[in-house]
Amino acid sequence: METVTRMRLVGGNLALDFVNTRVGPPGAAPDDDVLTGYPELIAWGVYASDLTDADATALRRRARDDAAGADATFLRALGTRDYLDGIFQSLAARRRPESTALDRLRDDEADALAHARLDQGSGFAWTWRDDHSLARPLRPVVHAAVGLLTTAAMERIKRCEACSFVFYDESKNRSRRWCSMEDCGTAEKMRRYIAARRSRLARKRPGDPTPGPPSDAPPGSSAAPAGAT
Ligand SMILES: [Zn+2]
């Protein structure tokens, strides 16, 4: 179950992190998905701090008693993720989301709020403390999506330049480009470095005298003869 922690929580919003439970190269089908069943949906909820351990225990018990209901809720969760993915990937690409997806989100938000209560802490907030239905893990996700859409600056919703993750860019100058620097940032920089080096080599090749030994010369000065065919 700890497999859900393979996906880092870097979206900056619960709904974006939910979309990021699957990942792949940009513009291609996802090749990794941590949501493989209802138990994983619960485990992800705990990991993303959307569920307490007590919630998780109650939900697991409920899922055991109602396996068909748990399966149906899991399918519903995948459908929710699909339309949220459509909405946020569209916004990240500066396109208008499909109205059918927005209608589904509205309906799910209405359903979520019908199961919520207004709790007073330092201010008032919707909580799902008393909601023990199988759809409980999805409520805050849907609500977070609506919260983001109704309050956020749309141009801050972005997609990683090196993978399919979506995130909310809270950097001061809106310059964030990667889901995380440790992973995609570094990998992407390496890829660009190699591509730039290759194109320097390609430019250098015609009529270029054979360069000397590589030593510590800058990239691009050593390999000209190699790629001749
Ligand atoms: Zn990434």
Side-chain angles (χ1 to χ4, degrees), residues 29-86:
D31 53 19
D32 194 7
D33 188 344
V34 296
L35 288 192
T36 49
Y38 189 77
E40 284 73 21
L41 180 66
I42 299 176
W44 182 83
V46 173
Y47 173 54
S49 308
D50 147 6
L51 297 174
T52 64
D53 288 335
D55 291 331
T57 303
L59 286 170
R60 275 189 210 106
R61 192 177 311 125
R62 200 179 170 112
R64 268 198 304 275
D65 293 345
D66 180 6
D71 287 347
T73 306
F74 175 64
L75 289 180
R76 176 178 166 188
L78 296 185
T80 302
R81 185 176 62 176
D82 277 342
Y83 79 67
L84 289 177
D85 189 43

Side-chain angles (χ1 to χ4, degrees), residues 8 10 23-24 159-167 177-180 183-185:
R8 290 153 293 114
V10 293
V23 68
R159 187 171 72 184
C160 176
E161 292 186 12
C163 76
S164 62
F165 269 21
V166 281
F167 60 86
R177 295 160 66 191
W178 297 294
C179 61
S180 82
D183 294 302
C184 287

Side-chain angles (χ1 to χ4, degrees), residues 135-158:
R136 162 69 180 82
L138 292 173
R139 316 280 193 212
V141 169
V142 164
H143 187 61
V146 171
L148 189 63
L149 289 175
T150 53
T151 61
M154 290 302 108
E155 66 275 16
R156 287 186 181 273
I157 295 172
K158 296 183 178 180

Side-chain angles (χ1 to χ4, degrees), residues 107-117 126-128 131 139:
D107 292 348
D108 282 346
E109 170 74 338
D111 185 39
L113 293 185
H115 289 83
R117 50 181 283 173
W126 294 111
T127 74
W128 285 270
D131 179 17
R139 316 280 193 212

Side-chain angles (χ1 to χ4, degrees), residues 134-220:
L134 287 166
R136 162 69 180 82
L138 292 173
R139 316 280 193 212
V141 169
V142 164
H143 187 61
V146 171
L148 189 63
L149 289 175
T150 53
T151 61
M154 290 302 108
E155 66 275 16
R156 287 186 181 273
I157 295 172
K158 296 183 178 180
R159 187 171 72 184
C160 176
E161 292 186 12
C163 76
S164 62
F165 269 21
V166 281
F167 60 86
Y168 190 65
D169 178 4
E170 291 182 273
S171 66
K172 211 169 186 175
N173 53 1
R174 306 179 185 205
S175 59
R176 184 172 160 198
R177 295 160 66 191
W178 297 294
C179 61
S180 82
M181 197 38 118
E182 311 84 81
D183 294 302
C184 287
T186 307
E188 180 66 7
K189 280 183 168 170
M190 185 56 71
R191 192 190 65 74
R192 284 179 194 193
Y193 168 78
I194 290 167
R197 183 172 180 274
R198 207 173 278 141
S199 80
R200 271 199 304 274
L201 282 175
R203 274 202 308 274
K204 213 174 163 75
R205 199 168 299 137
D208 203 31
T210 306
S215 70
D216 59 349

Side-chain angles (χ1 to χ4, degrees), residues 2 13 20 33 91 144 199:
E2 65 281 5
N13 173 278
N20 294 343
D33 188 344
L91 290 171
S199 80

